[in-house]
Amino acid sequence: QVQLVESGGGLVQAGGSLRLSCAASGRTFSSYVMGWFRQAPGTEREFVAGTSRSGDSTYYADSVKGRFTISRDNAKNTVYLQMNSLKAEDTAVYYCAADRVHTRVAVSTFEYGYWGQGTQVTVSS
C-alpha cells in the first residue's frame, strides 16, 4: 500500500508556471505507474499526465501536451508535474494517483487504486 501527498499548488497568473510534487510512502514506489489528474468544479476528474514505473514512458492529455511535463525520481519516491504557460482553464484541484496493477499508463480513474488529497491550482486571467 502507498500513501500520496501532493504539494506545490497555488495562485498564479496566466502564462506563469507551477511545479507540483507528490511524495509517496513505502519502499515500492518504483512498482507503481503514476498519474496526475485534475478536477474543476462541476466537472469529472480528468487525466492530465502519466508516467511508467521507470519513468521512461510518459503520456499526456492533448490539452496539456507541450506545456506540462511529468517526471519521477524513484530514489526520492516522488513524482512531479511541471506546468508552464498556464491558462485559466487549467484551474482545478490536481490529484496524484498510483496504479500497481497495470504496466502501462492508464487514463481512466478506475485503474488507479491510490489517490492523494489534492492540491488547488488557480490561474488568474
Side-chain angles (χ1 to χ4, degrees):
Q1 198 165 0
V2 65
Q3 293 183 325
L4 306 172
V5 179
E6 302 98 333
S7 61
L11 174 64
V12 64
Q13 289 188 332
S17 299
L18 280 175
R19 188 194 197 200
L20 305 183
S21 299
C22 172
S25 64
R27 294 177 289 181
T28 59
F29 179 69
S30 60
S31 300
Y32 294 86
V33 168
M34 299 299 297
W36 284 98
F37 289 75
R38 67 186 181 186
Q39 188 169 19
T43 69
E44 293 187 353
R45 194 168 297 187
E46 65 175 2
F47 174 81
V48 174
T51 178
S52 62
R53 295 171 176 177
S54 67
D56 289 346
S57 297
T58 57
Y59 188 72
Y60 298 92
D62 287 343
S63 58
V64 306
K65 202 171 292 183
R67 300 188 298 122
F68 291 10
T69 303
I70 187 171
S71 62
R72 67 188 296 163
D73 185 337
N74 286 343
K76 295 183 178 180
N77 283 13
T78 303
V79 62
Y80 305 96
L81 185 68
Q82 177 66 45
M83 305 185 296
N84 298 329
S85 303
L86 282 161
K87 306 175 181 179
E89 51 262 45
D90 294 319
T91 295
V93 177
Y94 282 71
Y95 297 90
C96 172
D99 170 15
R100 191 170 185 178
V101 175
H102 305 94
T103 58
R104 80 295 181 262
V105 174
V107 300
S108 170
T109 58
F110 296 106
E111 299 197 51
Y112 290 82
Y114 304 95
W115 293 85
Q117 82 289 348
T119 185
Q120 176 71 45
V121 172
T122 303
V123 184
S124 62
S125 56

